[in-house]
Amino acid sequence: MTLVDERAPVAAKTMRALTLVSDRKLELLDIAPPAAPAAGEVQIAIRAIGLNHLDVWGWRGMAFAKRKLPLVVGVEGAGEIRAIGAGVTGFRVGDPVVAYGGLTCGVCKACREGRDNLCENVAGVMGFHVDGFARDLLNMQARFVVPIPAGISFRDAACAPIAFSTVQHMLFDNAKLEPGETILVQAGGSGIGTAAIKMAKAIGCTVITTVGDDAKAAKAKALGADHVINYRTDRFEGAVRKLTGKKGVDVVFEHVGPDTFNGSLLCLKRGGRLVTCGSTSGQSTTVNLFQLYLQQYRIIGSFGASMRNIRESLAKMASGLSPVIDTEVALADFERGLARLESRQDFGKIIVNF
Ligand SMILES: [Zn+2]
């Protein structure tokens, strides 16, 4: 049996889907809406999409990515349950939800242990390899769907599946950040940078962050960062050594890549941890191996998050740790949002409203 929202208007013949048709070319198409959800699935009406650098990579085009165009874009989003397939429990029509966009197998050892992002048989990342969230309706297996606690807007919840969860996973599962430690957050004005500043401050860490202009410096201070370095006017490595009395920081939160990576290592204290989830300034760099082992650094790669991290992120939002929103744009302005993200003008998250 399929439950359908009786408040919904008569089913439309078509629905909107924002699709990537070639590199840097998006088209808003009218496509057939999905059939009623199959057993084990729910149907979600999308309300908001959060933009990420993964969207920018996908939009620019990536030669090595296995995917077929046209592709519905949108890697993270929030919406409400529109219909429920047979055998699904725990959801009601109208419930606000987010979904995990990594199509994990659910049966391998990593999946069984709740380490979803280490799944051995991922069928693709939605919005990048396979059709994503930027469409009016989609059917998803209920196991990927997480309820949004009361009091959180679709706009804020849309930042949970990737932006907030990635930061939660980096800081607490991987870098094992502890209260009282000192952390350097690179590019503190970015969507994940702003989340990292707020999450680290929330547990009582000292936060040093870098930004690219003075207006962003003031905003980062207002978020609670203890020290803000404008990396265009000041060498951040020297500034961090000075701020920490030449000791260095416990943890560096990296996602910039070659432009900052070696400087970030120099900022670590002996035995410090560098966790990285991105490389927006390029792909490769060189590392001084003497420095790596003599200083006993730990370098940790991090990609995505687990379902648990999504629940933890939503719980943080429910307790008042809300995402920093840079701008909200309409679906038709998705590309304008991507261009803003690519040019690093943003401070916080860019949200696309449906
Ligand atoms: Zn798996």
Side-chain angles (χ1 to χ4, degrees), residues 295-327:
Q295 294 299 322
Q296 302 170 60
Y297 294 149
R298 288 140 205 242
I299 300 176
I300 309 156
S302 194
F303 186 71
S306 67
M307 294 285 293
R308 171 177 51 80
N309 295 135
I310 297 180
R311 289 187 201 96
E312 290 165 343
S313 297
L314 289 166
K316 285 190 174 181
M317 290 182 193
S319 68
L321 203 165
S322 45
V324 176
I325 306 297
D326 173 75
T327 24

Side-chain angles (χ1 to χ4, degrees), residues 138-169:
L138 77 163
N139 292 347
M140 284 204 70
Q141 288 184 40
R143 69 185 174 96
F144 293 123
V145 181
V146 180
I148 301 173
I152 303 174
S153 64
F154 288 121
R155 182 194 77 175
D156 287 0
C159 307
I162 292 192
F164 254 52
S165 297
T166 295
V167 177
Q168 173 74 21
H169 187 56

Side-chain angles (χ1 to χ4, degrees), residues 103-112 115-116 118-122 143:
L103 300 179
T104 55
C105 74
V107 295
C108 73
K109 184 168 185 289
C111 279
R112 290 197 314 273
R115 296 177 301 130
D116 314 60
L118 293 175
C119 172
E120 295 158 20
N121 311 297
V122 185
R143 69 185 174 96

Side-chain angles (χ1 to χ4, degrees), residues 15-31 59 68-74 127 131-132 134-135 331 334-335:
M15 65 169 200
R16 298 171 303 166
L18 188 66
T19 56
L20 181 71
V21 292
S22 62
D23 289 354
R24 287 187 185 269
K25 192 160 193 287
L26 296 179
E27 276 180 12
L28 188 57
L29 302 180
D30 283 321
I31 64 170
W59 175 55
K68 262 196 221 141
L69 301 182
L71 178 91
V72 180
V73 297
D131 285 341
R135 44 184 153 159
L331 184 59
F334 197 97
E335 265 181 306

Side-chain angles (χ1 to χ4, degrees), residues 187-224:
S190 60
I192 57 171
T194 49
I197 292 170
K198 292 185 85 168
M199 285 190 194
K201 284 311 297 178
I203 65 158
C205 290
T206 299
V207 175
I208 305 172
T209 191
T210 61
V211 294
D213 64 58
D214 290 342
K216 285 188 181 182
K219 290 178 182 172
K221 270 263 176 194
L223 283 189

Side-chain angles (χ1 to χ4, degrees), residues 52-97:
N52 288 275
H53 274 280
L54 191 54
D55 293 288
V56 175
W57 291 118
W59 175 55
R60 283 178 186 160
M62 287 193 109
F64 62 83
K66 279 187 187 162
R67 56 188 192 163
K68 262 196 221 141
L69 301 182
L71 178 91
V72 180
V73 297
V75 297
E76 68 175 345
E80 60 182 273
I81 300 280
R82 181 55 67 83
I84 298 172
V88 175
T89 55
F91 292 104
R92 283 178 306 184
V93 170
D95 280 354
V97 293

